[in-house]
Amino acid sequence: MAAADDLKFREFDDAANLLAANPDATTISIDEPAEAHKNQHSRRQEPGREEDDELLGTDDSDKTELLAGQKKSAPFWTFEYYQTFFDVDTYQVLDRIKGSVFPVPGRNFVRLYVRSNPDLYGPFWICATLVFAIAVSGNLSNFFIHLGRPTYHYVPEFRKVSIAATTIYAYAWLVPLALWGFLMWRNSKVMNIVSYSFLEIVCVYGYSLFVYIPTAILWIIPQKVVRWVLMVFSLCLSGSVLVMTFWPAVRDDNRRIALATVGTIVLLHALLSVGCLAYFFDAPEVDFPAPAVPVIPAHNGTTLITRVK
């Protein structure tokens, strides 16, 4: 049985003695507690910066292809290349819709829902649903406004579908493209600016439009005050998603440029909301003229006027 002295803890000798006894030994350098505590303290100096750096990514992750193509090995002209953009399940789409409808202050939409797997499936169908919701609701609203007028004859306006589709899809693609190009340009000017990928920006804009689908249906209510209240509520809800997403990306830039960028994002979003409401639902009413009274000349030179009942 081992003696009591053999079981006692013995301090290690100098590193030179240990290496002399065993030349093949491997040494590991461990920081002193004070130095480790200092390193931890330096990391905690800016509590919000570490989280923002994680959600914005590194320079390597931002220098990806136009559609975040670093995860794709297939050529862009193949079907497999675009198939990955729609590789999401129902639970992911529902979570992203909930995140766009119930934004939480201090939480970035890209970091929580999009960065792991940005998609085009949700934005495409949200825009398509919104197009038909606005066009159909606009026709129904026009019908209910003129309902009961004897001179009104309802004619479906199918051109509203094409106008709504052009407006919604142009906004959901051209504005993210312009914003992506601006962030890339500012990234080359300012070192701390980190831009999102184009696919991530399209994903954020697409999901932010979901709240307008139920709003467009409720715009059928023939009350202007109710419509404008719903519009302002939807604008604040979806606009907050955009502001909380893109403000961390531009706040390290020049103060005026950062505020101008966020203000432009909100302004374009407001123009879309006001434009859709004003054109499709609050268009000026057209006075329908009464039908002309037919005049039938008689054979004997007199004029007969028929009364239309």
Side-chain angles (χ1 to χ4, degrees):
M1 182 176 182
D5 295 338
D6 296 337
L7 299 178
K8 292 182 180 180
F9 176 78
R10 295 180 180 179
E11 296 181 356
F12 290 104
D13 295 335
D14 296 335
N17 296 333
L18 293 174
L19 291 176
N22 188 6
D24 297 332
T26 303
T27 60
I28 300 175
S29 177
I30 303 176
D31 292 338
E32 294 294 332
E35 185 178 358
H37 178 72
K38 182 179 180 181
N39 294 335
Q40 293 178 357
H41 179 71
S42 63
R43 295 190 189 98
R44 295 176 182 174
Q45 288 181 354
E46 299 181 4
R49 186 68 59 184
E50 182 178 357
E51 182 179 355
D52 292 337
D53 292 340
E54 182 181 353
L55 65 91
L56 292 177
T58 60
D59 293 339
D60 295 336
S61 63
D62 293 307
K63 294 179 180 179
T64 55
E65 296 179 356
L66 180 63
L67 295 177
Q70 63 178 1
K71 298 187 300 182
K72 306 158 184 67
S73 58
F76 70 91
W77 60 81
T78 60
F79 178 77
E80 290 77 9
Y81 179 83
Y82 299 96
Q83 187 177 8
T84 56
F85 299 154
F86 299 85
D87 187 16
V88 288
D89 54 24
T90 305
Y91 298 101
Q92 288 178 324
V93 174
L94 291 179
D95 287 339
R96 295 173 183 183
I97 291 176
K98 293 178 183 178
S100 65
V101 176
F102 303 103
V104 180
R107 295 190 176 183
N108 189 280
F109 185 81
V110 172
R111 177 175 178 267
L112 292 178
Y113 304 102
V114 177
R115 175 138 293 179
S116 60
N117 184 25
D119 71 288
L120 293 178
Y121 179 85
F124 175 80
W125 286 111
I126 288 175
C127 292
T129 307
L130 180 59
V131 166
F132 286 98
I134 290 178
V136 174
S137 299
N139 279 280
L140 291 178
S141 175
N142 188 29
F143 172 77
F144 289 135
I145 288 176
H146 299 91
L147 184 63
R149 297 186 182 183
T151 59
Y152 174 71
H153 177 68
Y154 174 73
V155 177
E157 300 182 62
F158 295 103
R159 61 185 179 86
K160 289 186 175 181
V161 178
S162 59
I163 295 175
T166 303
T167 304
I168 298 300
Y169 279 101
Y171 173 81
W173 282 92
L174 296 182
V175 174
L177 180 61
L179 181 58
W180 174 79
F182 175 79
L183 293 178
M184 292 295 292
W185 174 66
R186 295 306 302 172
N187 187 22
S188 63
K189 300 292 183 181
V190 182
M191 183 177 300
N192 293 331
I193 299 297
V194 181
S195 62
Y196 299 108
S197 67
F198 176 67
L199 181 59
E200 291 173 343
I201 298 177
V202 171
C203 193
V204 173
Y205 268 86
Y207 281 101
S208 68
L209 295 176
F210 176 82
V211 69
Y212 287 101
I213 296 177
T215 302
I217 297 175
L218 294 176
W219 277 345
I220 299 177
I221 301 175
Q223 295 293 333
K224 288 187 177 182
V225 177
V226 176
R227 291 174 178 175
W228 283 93
V229 170
L230 291 172
M231 188 274 296
V232 172
F233 175 77
S234 301
L235 176 61
C236 295
L237 202 62
S238 58
S240 62
V241 176
L242 300 178
V243 172
M244 289 187 296
T245 300
F246 296 108
W247 173 249
V250 299
R251 67 180 178 184
D252 290 333
D253 200 348
N254 183 276
R255 192 72 175 179
R256 293 183 178 179
I257 296 179
L259 294 177
T261 302
V262 176
T264 304
I265 293 173
V266 176
L267 178 61
L268 293 176
H269 202 63
L271 288 177
L272 176 70
S273 305
V274 176
C276 289
L277 178 59
Y279 179 80
F280 293 98
F281 297 91
D282 288 339
E285 298 182 4
V286 180
D287 294 332
F288 295 92
V293 178
V295 178
I296 303 176
H299 296 283
N300 56 1
T302 59
T303 303
L304 298 178
I305 300 177
T306 59
R307 179 178 297 177
V308 179
K309 296 183 180 180

